[in-house]
Amino acid sequence: VQLVESGGGLVQPGGSLRLSCVASGSPFGLYTITWFRQAPGKEREGISSITTRNGAQYYAESMKGRFTMSRDNANNTAYLQMNDLKPEDTAIYYCAAYRGLMHRNAWSNQKLYRSWGQGTQVTVSS
């Protein structure tokens, strides 16, 4: 499956953005989709994941409340709604796909994902 992210940009602190991840090349519904981000000088970290089949959803504890992930299987798209953005949210945001059902304890393990988008830059600054 091929993934393309969009929706990044420059936003002021307290603002919102909605990122999109459009998939092609393989049935979207077969995949667990996960959002990651990588800030300058930091390791890539998992934000949120929605599995295939039962649609179970997982979040990193630090992302709960401000970030909301959703997916639209009919349109082969996953979304990440980000509210009340802070300068520390500045990063490149990636979506990744895992074919099959991802276990709740493994979703943020980036080594498990074989398909990645190119990333979209989010900059939070006044």
Side-chain angles (χ1 to χ4, degrees), residues 32-59:
T32 291
I33 303 296
T34 300
W35 284 98
F36 292 85
R37 72 181 185 184
Q38 187 165 21
K42 295 188 177 181
E43 293 186 355
R44 192 175 299 182
E45 61 178 341
I47 300 171
S48 181
S49 182
I50 300 180
T51 68
T52 185
R53 301 182 198 173
N54 62 5
Q57 191 164 7
Y58 311 116
Y59 286 92

Side-chain angles (χ1 to χ4, degrees), residues 7-102:
L10 174 64
V11 62
Q12 292 187 344
S16 298
L17 282 174
R18 188 176 80 155
L19 306 183
S20 298
C21 170
V22 178
S24 62
S26 192
F28 186 65
L30 296 178
Y31 292 85
T32 291
I33 303 296
T34 300
W35 284 98
F36 292 85
R37 72 181 185 184
Q38 187 165 21
K42 295 188 177 181
E43 293 186 355
R44 192 175 299 182
E45 61 178 341
I47 300 171
S48 181
S49 182
I50 300 180
T51 68
T52 185
R53 301 182 198 173
N54 62 5
Q57 191 164 7
Y58 311 116
Y59 286 92
E61 283 297 321
S62 62
M63 309 294 179
K64 289 181 178 179
R66 295 190 300 121
F67 291 11
T68 303
M69 183 179 177
S70 60
R71 65 185 291 169
D72 179 351
N73 287 345
N75 289 299
N76 298 334
T77 304
Y79 302 98
L80 183 67
Q81 177 68 42
M82 306 186 294
N83 298 326
D84 190 23
L85 285 163
K86 306 177 186 303
E88 52 265 39
D89 294 317
T90 295
I92 300 175
Y93 286 71
Y94 301 90
C95 61
Y98 172 86
R99 186 172 178 127
L101 184 65
M102 180 66 76

